[in-house]
Amino acid sequence: TQSTWALDRNEGIYVRDLTGAVYAVIGKTHLLRENEELWEKELQPGVEALLVKYGGPEIRDKTRLVCFQVPFKGACQVYDYRQKTARVVFGPDMVMLQPDEQLTVLNLSGGKPKRSGQIRDIVLQLGPDFSTDILTVETSDHARLDLRLSYGWFFDVDRSSPAEGALLFNIPDFVGDMCKAIASRVRGAVAGVSFDAFHKASAEIINRAVFGVDPATGLLRTEFRFPNNHLVVNAVDIQSVEPVDKSTRDSLMQSVQMAISITTDALEAKATNAAKKKEQEAMAELARQRIRDEALVEEARQLLIQLKAESRAVETTGTATAEAQARAQAQRIVGESEVTLAQLRAQAANIFSRAELERMSTYQDAEVVHQKQVDEIELENERKRKEIESRKFREIVESIGRETILAIANAGPEMQAKLLGGLGLQGMVITDGQTPLNFFNLANDMISTEAAGTSAQ
């Protein structure tokens, strides 16, 4: 019966026709023709288990295409038996085996110490990685030691170059070859030194033996390269050094204990000396600090005295200045007060003078009017009185005789005096009636005399 196979791009089947030609159908739908049949591909012994280790099915359909995912930092070699050629695939990538192709199986050394054929694998790890080995060496004084060394390695290869990629698989057991080459160098180096010398500088001796010294610079190299397969060793770690013989082990223990004791004593003495040195330095620094502090205190004291003196001077100057300013201010205020007082007094005197003048003027005007009115009244009274007296005198004269008139003439002055006292007059003026009297000058003299008397009061 005819069968149809629907295949993904990473899937395929092996097909053989009646002529015996075998080929792989990958990534497409294939319908078996009448002259075709499925072909079962056999793998090398142990490869099936290795494919399962890297994620392959535990039970493989032998007619299905063998697919293998090369891991990251890994490489595998695919060999074509028909073409007698090999190709290297670097991970991460997918390997799909053609009918005539097989995966190269690596037989690597393993264990501690290394033994051949302990590890089988189809992937070459490119590193960086570590390998540990145990080797026995013998010093120049015949002390046999077991060294446990760990090597750091990686493959320095250009992945874009097929020729360099092919060199990776030139040495089937690169681990064993690397360990043997390093062990040979270490044994040769250790054989030329004594046990004590090796015990004191084992790391330097081994690194110098493995990496060598650059003759141009005289410095220790950092790499040990294997040009046959581009393997590079970049680190050697001494994990342990153990003597094989019991006497040597006891001697090593004594040496270690003595070295520890010497180192401890040296460290203790060094620590004691360092402590004493630090103590002396601290005491000296303390003394210097005390001197500096005293100097600072003295400077501060001098500065304080100077500031006090300046403060006293400022205080004295300030007091004197303040007193002088106060006195000047007081004098200025007194002067201003006196000026103001004088101005006010002048204004008051001026106002008083104007008021007095106005008062005197008003008084004089009123006095003049009053006196005029009084004079007019007196004149009228006098005229009427004169008329009355004249009429009375005439009548008296007519009614009395000569003698009576003479007696009356004698009593006239007394009667006039009484009459004047009754009128409130202090003096009198006798005129004949023809000589005029100046009453205005008399009034001015009376006003001046009154004003002089008021000012004196």
Side-chain angles (χ1 to χ4, degrees), residues 402-424:
R402 183 176 178 85
E403 293 81 5
T404 304
I405 293 173
L406 181 62
I408 293 171
N410 292 326
E414 296 176 1
M415 184 181 61
Q416 288 178 0
K418 291 178 181 181
L419 178 63
L420 290 175
L423 294 174

Side-chain angles (χ1 to χ4, degrees), residues 33-212:
R33 294 187 291 270
E34 64 276 1
N35 61 339
E36 293 179 340
E37 64 176 356
L38 295 176
W39 180 72
E40 293 183 355
K41 180 177 178 57
E42 297 292 340
L43 297 176
Q44 296 178 5
V47 175
E48 297 278 356
L50 294 175
L51 290 175
V52 173
K53 173 184 174 182
Y54 288 100
E58 294 184 0
I59 300 176
R60 184 178 68 89
D61 185 357
K62 296 182 180 181
T63 62
R64 304 285 293 199
L65 185 71
V66 177
C67 297
F68 170 60
Q69 181 70 38
V70 182
F72 179 66
K73 291 187 178 181
C76 69
Q77 186 182 54
V78 180
Y79 187 77
D80 190 340
Y81 288 96
R82 182 180 295 276
Q83 301 293 334
K84 298 197 180 295
T85 58
R87 60 187 176 94
V88 177
V89 180
F90 292 96
D93 199 354
M94 177 70 74
V95 175
M96 292 181 287
L97 296 181
Q98 296 295 327
D100 297 324
E101 290 181 340
Q102 292 288 341
L103 294 171
T104 299
V105 179
L106 300 173
N107 292 312
L108 304 177
S109 298
K112 301 180 188 65
K114 289 291 184 284
R115 293 188 298 273
S116 301
Q118 297 297 312
I119 301 174
R120 290 173 56 86
D121 207 339
I122 57 177
V123 177
L124 177 64
Q125 301 293 337
L126 300 180
D129 203 348
F130 289 90
S131 294
T132 304
D133 191 16
I134 297 176
L135 61 151
T136 302
V137 296
E138 186 173 352
T139 62
S140 60
D141 51 359
H142 305 290
R144 300 179 70 246
L145 306 172
D146 285 339
L147 304 181
R148 186 184 182 92
L149 305 180
S150 180
Y151 315 125
W153 55 266
F154 66 95
F155 284 96
D156 186 12
V157 61
D158 184 6
R159 299 189 179 194
S160 62
S161 174
E164 290 192 9
L167 291 178
L168 293 175
F169 294 87
N170 276 351
I171 301 175
D173 185 8
F174 76 91
V175 176
D177 184 72
M178 173 187 67
C179 291
K180 289 178 182 178
I182 294 176
S184 176
R185 291 191 173 200
V186 171
R187 288 191 182 97
V190 174
V193 297
S194 64
F195 172 74
D196 291 337
F198 177 74
H199 180 68
K200 294 178 181 178
S202 58
E204 181 181 358
I205 293 172
I206 292 177
N207 280 284
R208 186 179 295 272
V210 174
F211 299 116

Side-chain angles (χ1 to χ4, degrees), residues 270-315:
K270 184 177 179 180
T272 303
N273 292 331
K276 290 181 179 179
K277 182 180 179 181
K278 288 183 178 180
E279 183 179 1
Q280 293 176 358
E281 291 177 353
M283 293 297 293
E285 181 64 24
L286 182 60
R288 289 194 295 269
Q289 187 63 37
R290 185 182 296 109
I291 294 172
R292 287 195 293 266
D293 293 341
E294 291 177 355
L296 292 175
V297 169
E298 186 63 27
E299 292 178 359
R301 185 182 295 109
Q302 293 179 0
L303 179 60
L304 178 61
I305 295 172
Q306 182 180 358
L307 292 176
K308 285 183 177 179
E310 292 178 357
S311 177
R312 292 193 189 97
V314 170
E315 183 179 358

